[in-house]
């Protein structure tokens, strides 16, 4: 008998291969759906069977017993079925066969053993009654009882799935996972709920164009009549440009975002002597999506908070929602979307992993500081040449990252301005509790004491005229008409001496002061760094922030206030001795006295 010396003993390798990097059960399920769509399926079904098991106290509890994927794709013959359970083998390994979702020949076995120790496959090409069957049993492999994929044989599909399943068609495939020892969620409804969000996003293009349907079913393996869940996945669009999606009302039937900039741009990427188009789209939230207080804490805002990042697609299937491009602590990041679609020929360039969950090279683009490159007096093209000389794999897609960063900067500026408008236009019904009302009360007390200004006298103008003057002044500051109308109306309706506006006022000042028609308009400069430090981080979506996030925001707001005071201190210190410095100190003292009066007025 000849001794065998395998390079990788199967019974040992299979255990190591179970830790193959799938983020969770939903991503492993997605691998099976990939196979179904690659096989031309129009109807895919996720079937989750539960059963009663003994609990810790001899009580009966319900746990997931089997997970199955059923499709009406093209099915497999004996040779293909056997290949499908081999690691690193399959029908899509050659370049000419990699135009669809599949590629690596790892999806079915790798995803399956990451969740269970027994995977069974039935497939048919001439009616479900003619199905052939094979399997992969990890327990047998460990005992060295199974050293090759069993030869497929004719075998009817289990009665359970012939009754629960629909739309079998002339051809199709059924994959069943049993002995689920590494499943993340223990109940069928949890598997479906968590898978539905991801599946709806990964395959949104297919679902939106009605190229396929994905049915999700939760049932009891011993009670096939009372099905608990039976519904179809809806598209989950992180761009929020589709209608009829899983986004909560009112944006389930209409887009929540709108396209930003050009509808779509295509960037040619040169790789291996050829050029390939990469398509990129951008979107930002509509103003109505952020209208009123706490938009982020409402259902549609919470939905958007789970879809933050750059959506990277390959063959209309999402690879990953890349969060490396986001500001992790900033809840405003939920209000923009970027979608990038690249062809399969650029898999290696983008750094696509074999479980189709990451594009590592593309993520590295987010870490590049393009402004620093410019400061070094080097163009992007020159920097790209330098990377190519160093054989850096990201060189061909460097300009792509630069274009994304530029658009992202502009989108964030628009969202910031939009957010500023939202805070400016709040109709203050509890006026005595607001800073504007407190300052108004203190000012009226000072007027009664004889401390008046020329602007105070203009309060005697007719309300309509005052409102129009304030509105015009706000529009001149860069606010849109709707915001200006709301702010001016609030000012005159409640007799406020102070109103706040938020705009890019094209000045190095943090804020401007403009007396108008008896009211003082204080416009905060949204492009000043102090705005990010003090206003934006404490004012945006407080209701939806975690304790850690709130602590972080308050810490940065404290630091921002200190930096403002330090800037004033330095300003005073650099003034020449004499009248100018004395005047600055007097202004500081007068401002301090006024602040004390306002802050003790309540």
């Amino acid at each position: 008998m000849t001794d065998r010396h395998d390079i990788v003993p199967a019974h040992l390798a299979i255990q190591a291969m179970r830790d193959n990097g799938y983020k969770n059960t939903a991503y492993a399920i997605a691998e099976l759906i990939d196979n179904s769509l690659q096989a031309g399926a129009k109807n895919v079904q996720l079937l989750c069977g539960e059963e009663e098991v003994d609990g810790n106290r001899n009580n009966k509890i319900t746990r997931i017993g089997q997970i199955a994927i059923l499709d009406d794709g093209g099915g497999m013959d004996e040779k293909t079925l056997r290949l499908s359970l081999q690691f690193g083998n399959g029908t899509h390994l050659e370049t000419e066969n990699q135009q669809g979702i599949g590629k690596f020949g790892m999806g079915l076995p790798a995803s399956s053993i990451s969740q269970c120790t027994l995977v069974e496959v039935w497939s048919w090409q001439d009616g479900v009654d003619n199905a052939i069957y094979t399997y992969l049993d990890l327990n047998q492999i460990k005992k060295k009882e199974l050293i090759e994929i069993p030869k497929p044989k004719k075998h009817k599909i289990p009665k359970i799935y012939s009754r629960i399943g629909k739309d079998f068609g002339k051809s199709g495939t059924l994959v069943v996972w049993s002995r689920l020892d590494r499943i993340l969620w223990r109940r069928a409804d949890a598997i479906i709920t968590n898978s539905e969000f991801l599946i709806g996003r990964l395959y949104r293009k297919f679902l939106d164009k009605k190229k396929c349907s994905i049915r999700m079913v939760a049932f009891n393996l011993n009670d096939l009549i009372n099905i608990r869940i039976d519904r179809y996945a809806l598209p989950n669009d992180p761009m929020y440009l589709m209608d009829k999606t899983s986004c909560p009302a009112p944006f389930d039937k209409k887009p929540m975002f709108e396209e930003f900039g050009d509808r779509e741009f295509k960037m040619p990427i040169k790789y291996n002597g050829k050029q390939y188009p990469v398509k990129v789209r951008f979107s930002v939230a509509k103003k109505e999506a952020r209208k009123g207080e706490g938009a982020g804490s409402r259902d549609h805002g919470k939905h958007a908070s789970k879809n933050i990042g750059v959506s990277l697609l390959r063959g209309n299937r999402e690879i990953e929602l890349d969060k490396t491009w986001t500001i992790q602590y900033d809840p405003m990041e939920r209000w923009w979307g970027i979608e990038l679609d690249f062809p399969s020929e650029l898999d290696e360039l983008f750094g696509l992993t074999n479980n189709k969950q990451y594009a590592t090279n593309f993520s590295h683009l987010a870490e590049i500081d393009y402004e620093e490159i410019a400061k070094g007096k080097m163009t992007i093209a020159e920097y790209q040449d330098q990377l190519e000389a160093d054989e850096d794999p990201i060189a061909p897609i460097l300009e792509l990252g630069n274009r994304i960063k530029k658009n992202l900067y502009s989108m964030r500026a628009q969202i910031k301005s939009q957010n500023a408008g939202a805070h400016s236009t709040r109709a203050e019904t509890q006026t005595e509790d607001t800073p504007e009302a407190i300052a108004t009360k203190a000012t009226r007390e000072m007027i009664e004491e004889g401390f008046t200004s020329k602007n105070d006298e203009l309060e005697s103008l007719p309300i309509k005229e005052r409102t129009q003057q304030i509105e015009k002044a706000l529009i001149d500051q860069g606010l849109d008409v709707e915001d200006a109308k709301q702010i001016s109306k609030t000012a005159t309706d409640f007799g406020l001496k102070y109103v706040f506006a938020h705009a890019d006022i094209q000045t190095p000042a943090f804020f401007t002061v403009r007396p108008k028609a008896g009211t003082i308009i204080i416009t905060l400069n949204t492009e000043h760094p102090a705005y990010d430090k003090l206003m934006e981080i404490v004012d945006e979506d407080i209701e939806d922030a975690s304790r850690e996030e709130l602590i972080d925001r308050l810490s940065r707001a404290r630091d921002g206030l200190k930096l403002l005071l330090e800037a004033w201190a330095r300003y005073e210190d650099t003034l020449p001795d004499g009248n100018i410095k004395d005047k600055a100190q007097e202004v500081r003292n007068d401002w301090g006295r006024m602040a004390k009066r306002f802050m003790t007025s309540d």
Side-chain angles (χ1 to χ4, degrees):
M1 181 176 179
T2 304
D3 291 336
R4 290 184 55 170
H5 298 282
D6 296 335
I7 295 175
V8 182
H11 67 287
L12 299 178
I14 204 78
Q15 190 62 34
M17 293 172 75
R18 299 198 74 189
D19 301 316
N20 47 30
Y22 286 96
K23 296 176 183 178
N24 56 43
T25 301
Y27 280 92
I29 290 171
E31 278 283 8
L32 302 188
I33 297 176
D34 282 352
N35 292 342
S36 297
L37 297 180
Q38 188 72 48
K42 301 299 181 184
N43 299 284
V44 182
Q45 300 171 64
L46 168 60
L47 310 174
C48 301
E50 294 180 321
E51 59 188 354
E52 288 189 344
V53 298
D54 292 329
N56 295 331
R57 300 179 181 178
N58 295 322
N59 59 322
K60 293 292 184 180
I61 58 175
T62 301
R63 289 289 182 263
I64 187 72
Q66 292 184 353
I67 294 176
I69 291 290
L70 172 65
D71 70 53
D72 61 351
M76 292 177 277
D77 57 22
E78 287 189 18
K79 179 181 178 181
T80 307
L81 177 54
R82 209 172 186 186
L83 284 174
S84 72
L85 282 174
Q86 281 188 289
F87 290 89
N89 212 337
T91 59
H92 298 284
L93 300 181
E94 291 77 20
T95 302
E96 61 270 18
N97 293 329
Q98 294 175 4
Q99 300 305 311
I101 294 174
K103 174 175 181 177
F104 296 101
M106 298 285 286
L108 174 54
S111 63
S112 299
I113 68 169
S114 74
Q115 305 298 314
C116 69
T117 62
L118 175 62
V119 53
E120 301 172 280
V121 186
W122 289 260
S123 197
W124 56 95
Q125 294 183 317
D126 186 23
V128 67
D129 291 334
N130 295 309
I132 54 176
Y133 163 86
T134 191
Y135 68 94
L136 200 61
D137 188 329
L138 268 59
N139 292 346
Q140 290 184 10
I141 293 172
K142 288 178 185 178
K143 295 175 183 178
K144 301 182 182 180
E145 296 173 356
L146 188 67
I147 60 175
E148 63 178 341
I149 307 300
K151 183 178 179 180
K153 60 183 180 180
K154 188 173 180 179
H155 194 300
K156 286 188 175 183
I157 70 170
K159 290 183 179 179
I160 291 172
Y161 296 106
S162 64
R163 292 183 61 181
I164 294 293
K166 294 180 179 178
D167 305 312
F168 284 93
K170 186 177 180 181
S171 60
T173 298
L174 170 68
V175 179
V176 179
W177 292 346
S178 303
R179 302 204 300 257
L180 300 161
D181 62 334
R182 291 195 173 191
I183 212 79
L184 178 61
W185 303 290
R186 298 294 179 180
R187 294 291 304 274
D189 53 351
I191 291 172
I192 288 176
T193 299
N194 287 281
S195 298
E196 182 177 16
F197 193 91
L198 176 70
I199 287 170
R201 195 178 72 222
L202 296 186
Y203 306 106
R204 62 184 182 271
K205 301 285 187 177
F206 296 87
L207 297 172
D208 182 56
K209 299 296 184 182
K210 303 293 189 295
K211 291 184 177 180
C212 76
S213 68
I214 301 177
R215 179 183 176 226
M216 300 167 296
V217 181
F219 65 99
N220 191 300
L221 289 165
N222 299 311
D223 180 7
L224 304 183
I225 297 176
N226 299 311
I227 296 177
R228 291 201 301 109
I229 298 174
D230 191 348
R231 63 174 181 260
Y232 288 84
L234 292 170
N236 171 19
D237 180 19
M239 296 289 284
Y240 293 98
L241 295 174
M242 295 177 179
D243 50 18
K244 298 179 182 178
T245 67
S246 63
C247 186
F251 301 107
D252 53 339
K253 298 292 192 298
K254 61 180 180 178
M256 184 165 69
F257 288 12
E258 58 192 1
E259 300 217 49
F260 179 86
D262 295 334
R263 181 175 176 81
E264 175 181 281
F265 80 78
K266 292 183 180 179
M267 176 171 285
I269 300 296
K270 189 175 182 180
Y271 185 62
N272 288 338
K274 296 182 180 179
Q275 281 195 342
Y276 302 96
V278 173
K279 297 180 288 186
V280 188
R281 292 197 303 163
F282 304 91
S283 65
V284 293
K286 293 179 179 178
K287 197 163 187 178
E288 63 177 299
R290 307 190 62 208
K291 190 174 182 180
E293 291 192 57
S297 63
R298 296 202 289 274
D299 288 342
H300 66 272
K302 290 178 180 179
H303 193 278
S305 72
K306 299 175 185 177
N307 278 331
I308 293 176
V310 175
S311 179
L312 199 63
L313 283 81
R314 172 190 179 272
N316 282 328
R317 192 267 205 196
E318 184 180 270
I319 298 301
E320 119 177 84
L321 194 60
D322 191 343
K323 290 181 171 58
T324 56
W325 297 82
T326 67
I327 303 171
Q328 297 288 334
Y329 58 78
D330 192 343
M332 285 210 305
E333 297 291 273
R334 76 188 68 191
W335 302 120
W336 59 261
I338 299 176
E339 180 183 275
L340 184 149
D341 198 344
F342 68 93
S344 60
E345 291 87 350
L346 299 182
D347 286 348
E348 186 176 355
L349 179 60
F350 276 80
L352 184 67
T353 57
N354 63 10
N355 58 20
K356 299 195 293 290
Q357 291 183 137
Y358 303 97
T360 54
N361 291 345
F362 177 73
S363 295
H364 292 329
L365 292 178
E367 301 166 3
I368 296 175
D369 191 334
Y370 293 90
E371 292 184 5
E372 284 299 314
I373 295 173
K375 288 179 183 177
K377 297 181 180 179
M378 184 181 292
T379 66
I380 297 298
E382 290 170 340
Y383 187 67
Q384 183 172 341
D385 290 341
Q386 180 178 307
L387 291 178
E388 288 175 349
D390 295 337
E391 298 184 352
D392 193 311
I394 69 170
I397 53 176
L398 181 69
E399 177 56 28
L400 178 65
N402 185 36
R403 290 281 295 273
I404 291 174
K405 281 273 183 96
K406 285 181 177 179
N407 278 277
L408 189 50
Y409 176 85
S410 299
M411 286 193 295
R412 284 175 175 145
Q414 178 170 317
I415 292 166
K416 183 190 296 183
S417 174
Q418 187 182 65
N419 175 60
H423 292 304
S424 298
T425 57
R426 292 172 182 166
E428 308 289 2
T429 55
Q430 302 291 330
T431 53
E432 65 273 8
D433 296 331
T434 66
E436 292 91 331
I438 293 169
T440 297
K441 177 184 175 184
T443 301
R444 297 209 181 283
E445 291 172 354
M446 296 171 70
I447 290 173
E448 291 177 4
E449 295 168 9
F451 296 98
T452 63
S453 70
K454 290 183 178 180
N455 187 51
D456 294 332
E457 299 172 4
L458 299 178
E459 280 193 272
S460 60
L461 291 171
I463 289 181
K464 184 177 181 180
E465 186 177 345
R466 286 188 62 216
T467 304
Q468 289 174 343
Q469 287 192 27
I470 296 170
E471 179 185 325
K472 184 178 183 305
L474 290 166
I475 292 172
D476 290 344
Q477 288 276 56
L479 275 74
D480 64 32
V481 174
E482 182 184 343
D483 289 348
K485 283 182 179 294
Q486 182 62 62
I487 295 172
S488 58
K489 187 175 186 300
T490 300
T492 53
D493 282 356
F494 295 106
L496 297 176
K497 293 290 294 180
Y498 304 89
V499 292
F500 281 92
H502 306 246
D504 177 5
I505 52 180
Q506 302 293 315
T507 171
F510 174 36
F511 62 93
T512 60
V513 176
R514 188 173 183 183
K516 200 69 180 177
T519 294
I520 299 174
I521 301 169
I522 304 167
T523 304
L524 299 173
N525 186 357
T526 58
E527 291 304 303
H528 195 286
Y531 187 88
D532 294 333
K533 289 281 187 181
L534 294 175
M535 297 300 297
E536 193 174 59
I537 61 174
V538 297
D539 213 11
E540 167 69 15
D541 296 326
I542 290 292
E543 300 90 340
D544 200 31
S546 66
R547 181 177 183 275
E548 292 75 15
E549 188 178 332
L550 287 173
I551 291 172
D552 178 63
R553 290 199 214 176
L554 291 172
S555 175
R556 288 184 290 117
R558 175 202 61 201
D559 294 346
L561 176 59
K562 286 183 176 180
L563 289 168
L564 268 185
L565 298 177
E566 288 162 349
W568 177 269
R570 180 58 179 166
Y571 166 71
E572 276 194 34
D573 187 48
T574 57
L575 292 175
D577 292 337
N579 291 337
I580 297 178
K581 179 173 284 191
D582 291 344
K583 188 64 177 176
Q585 291 171 349
E586 288 177 17
V587 169
R588 173 164 48 83
N589 290 333
D590 289 342
W591 190 12
R593 281 190 285 270
M594 191 72 72
K596 181 179 180 181
R597 183 77 181 257
F598 279 26
M599 290 183 176
T600 58
S601 176
D602 186 16

